[in-house]
Amino acid sequence: MKHLLLFAVALCPPFVVTTTPAKTPPPGRKPAAAPADTTAMSSHSTPDAFNASYSSNNYKYQMDRYRNGNEVPVPIIIDTDMSIDCDDVGALCIAHALMDLGKAKILAVVHDVGIPDGIGAVSVINHYYGRDDIPLGAFKGKFGRVYPHHYVKNLVKNFPSPIKNYSQVPEAVTTYRTVLSQVDDLSVTIASIGDLTNLENLLKSKADDISPLSGVELVSKTVKRIVIMGGKYPSSYTWPLPEWNFGGVGLAKCDDSGYKCPSASANYTIGHIPDTVELIFTGYEVGKRITSGAKMSTCLAESNPCRQAYIDREGFNNSRFSWDPSAILDAVLGIPEDLYQLVGHGGRNEIDIKTGNNQWINSSTEPGGVVAAVKIKTPNERYLYLKNQAAGESIGEMIDELLCKPRNSTHLGTSEV
């Protein structure tokens, strides 16, 4: 997510975004050349072959201990704010890699801030992996329109894709309702790795010609789990600023300009998700201890949009914190007990409607003065605690392995290179 930009955004004028410049190699030393595209390598054409090929890197062991015990692919909807930070790109790219491995089935990808070409960047990645058929949707309001990163425009302009902007796709709530109306009961996992605008609109939606169920009823009937990257735990009040996806400091103004505070969406969404849904929060402090992405500079070809987004955002051979990629791993492969501890059972997450600050309220703790949505029933909510830095390093290595995984050639058209 965009967390390291919080202070810069709060203090700098609009459109001033500080990024890490590309590293210049020392005199006489050339940067490592990108390899030839290995997309169609037959040795990686099946999950078993891929796992076996990485056995020397302990990859299969990590997959085995991380898997959720169910070999049926996890049906997942990804809700992303792909805009300022490149870790949204990494998240979608590893979701495709997990789909190649038979671990996930991407049902839809929806974009949750009002950047017109944000969904175009999503389409670039889907197209690269040969999956233009994945349904797309986009939030089309003003919220979040003011701080797109240049990597988005670069991807849309310089990489092929059938979708270039949100005028070509339905509203995200329409995509949500359409997809959820066609799935089995309690089968879907939603990975929310951005603002909660789309989920708010889904939960507020009424019965229509897509489904006779309201949004709350549809979620209760079809959604098994929601993993939300957002907040700081156990409380953001001990930090200088709230977490980006709940507070969005500097991204929107809480006035009459037509902008909309992310805190209001977070407050409403968390307060109205049905208690039947397992709700897992992964916070700022988790992703901050996991880094990934640098290896793409040398393990992937220049034709790979995942690689290009990270280079545009971070510079050559630089990693980024892994707020969103780690959330995708949690959503698809489950929570490994040797890496994480699930904390807060019986409690609830409360979001200040004005600031986006959050705090975890245990069953024996009074809310204090927090203005927040309060559930009547005991919610099925918990948050993740990363056990140690070694656990973060292990997860980062796994993300890098997935990012460097060649595409499954069986999904690609003959025009792909």
Side-chain angles (χ1 to χ4, degrees):
M1 302 312 305
K2 286 61 59 176
H3 307 81
L4 294 187
L5 295 173
L6 291 178
F7 292 102
V9 171
L11 298 176
C12 297
F15 299 100
V16 177
V17 178
T18 303
T19 60
T20 304
K23 288 183 176 179
T24 303
R29 180 180 298 177
K30 296 181 179 179
D37 194 339
T38 57
T39 293
M41 290 175 62
S42 60
S43 62
H44 296 294
S45 61
T46 67
D48 288 343
F50 175 66
N51 285 340
S53 70
Y54 278 86
S55 59
S56 61
N57 293 331
N58 214 23
Y59 184 87
K60 190 174 188 301
Y61 168 71
Q62 292 189 48
M63 286 292 292
D64 285 343
R65 74 174 182 172
Y66 219 111
R67 77 177 70 226
N68 57 14
N70 189 349
E71 291 303 316
V72 177
V74 174
I76 185 171
I77 297 174
I78 299 172
D79 198 326
T80 173
D81 64 344
M82 192 177 292
S83 53
I84 293 177
D85 212 330
C86 60
D87 70 323
D88 293 83
V89 173
L92 182 55
C93 293
I94 70 166
H96 278 286
L98 289 166
M99 193 164 174
D100 283 349
L101 291 168
K103 305 298 180 186
K105 180 180 181 181
I106 305 173
L107 299 179
V109 184
V110 290
H111 195 262
D112 53 50
V113 291
I115 298 171
D117 49 3
I119 197 67
V122 170
S123 181
V124 165
I125 296 167
N126 288 355
H127 182 75
Y128 181 80
Y129 282 93
R131 296 191 174 104
D132 290 333
D133 57 334
I134 293 175
L136 302 178
F139 174 82
K140 301 182 183 183
K142 293 182 178 180
F143 166 67
R145 189 177 296 177
V146 294
Y147 286 111
H149 193 271
H150 69 275
Y151 84 76
V152 171
K153 294 187 179 298
N154 187 11
L155 292 185
V156 174
K157 179 180 179 180
N158 297 315
F159 288 81
S161 67
I163 302 299
K164 298 300 181 183
N165 61 69
Y166 63 32
S167 69
Q168 300 171 272
V169 301
E171 290 276 356
V173 65
T174 301
T175 302
Y176 257 127
R177 289 185 60 82
T178 300
V179 171
L180 291 179
S181 69
Q182 300 170 354
V183 299
D184 295 334
D185 291 355
L186 299 177
S187 62
V188 174
T189 294
I190 295 174
S192 174
I193 54 173
D195 296 282
L196 299 175
T197 48
N198 291 334
L199 283 173
E200 177 191 13
N201 290 337
L202 171 62
L203 292 167
K204 288 181 175 179
S205 66
K206 307 298 183 182
D208 55 16
D209 56 354
I210 297 173
S211 171
L213 302 178
S214 69
V216 170
E217 293 168 335
L218 199 54
V219 170
S220 180
K221 182 176 186 291
T222 63
V223 177
K224 178 181 180 181
R225 178 186 301 109
I226 301 178
V227 175
I228 295 179
M229 194 283 114
K232 299 174 180 178
Y233 301 92
S235 172
S236 69
Y237 288 94
T238 59
W239 298 71
L241 294 169
E243 188 274 328
W244 182 273
N245 290 341
F246 288 177
V249 176
L251 181 64
K253 297 178 181 179
C254 301
D255 54 25
D256 296 326
S257 65
Y259 288 90
K260 179 170 187 269
C261 296
S263 55
S265 291
N267 172 275
Y268 186 91
T269 300
I270 303 309
H272 290 82
I273 291 174
D275 293 327
T276 54
V277 177
E278 181 185 14
L279 188 52
I280 297 175
F281 297 93
T282 174
Y284 168 88
E285 68 285 348
V286 172
K288 182 73 163 53
R289 299 175 71 184
I290 305 169
T291 59
S292 61
K295 289 184 179 180
M296 286 192 290
S297 291
T298 53
C299 75
L300 297 175
E302 293 181 359
S303 60
N304 187 299
C306 310
R307 173 186 184 271
Q308 189 60 50
Y310 272 68
I311 291 176
D312 284 346
R313 174 63 175 78
E314 296 300 315
F316 188 86
N317 203 33
N318 288 333
S319 282
R320 181 64 176 146
F321 299 121
S322 303
W323 294 287
D324 295 347
S326 62
I328 293 295
L329 286 183
D330 301 332
V332 173
L333 298 175
I335 311 301
E337 294 181 356
D338 57 334
L339 303 179
Y340 290 113
Q341 181 180 352
L342 276 170
V343 182
H345 183 71
R348 64 181 184 271
N349 198 7
E350 292 201 337
I351 318 297
D352 189 302
I353 196 170
K354 294 183 178 180
T355 68
N357 275 304
N358 74 288
Q359 65 175 334
W360 196 264
I361 305 299
N362 293 318
S363 56
S364 60
T365 304
E366 292 298 322
V370 178
V371 181
V374 179
K375 293 188 174 184
I376 298 175
K377 299 179 181 179
T378 300
N380 188 14
E381 302 181 26
R382 289 171 292 177
Y383 65 91
L384 289 178
Y385 174 78
L386 189 66
K387 288 191 171 182
N388 50 52
Q389 187 57 44
E393 293 171 359
S394 179
I395 296 169
E397 290 172 2
M398 183 175 180
I399 292 170
D400 276 334
E401 295 287 0
L402 289 167
L403 289 172
C404 288
K405 177 190 175 299
R407 297 171 291 179
N408 188 337
S409 59
T410 60
H411 298 301
L412 303 176
T414 55
S415 63
E416 288 287 341
V417 296

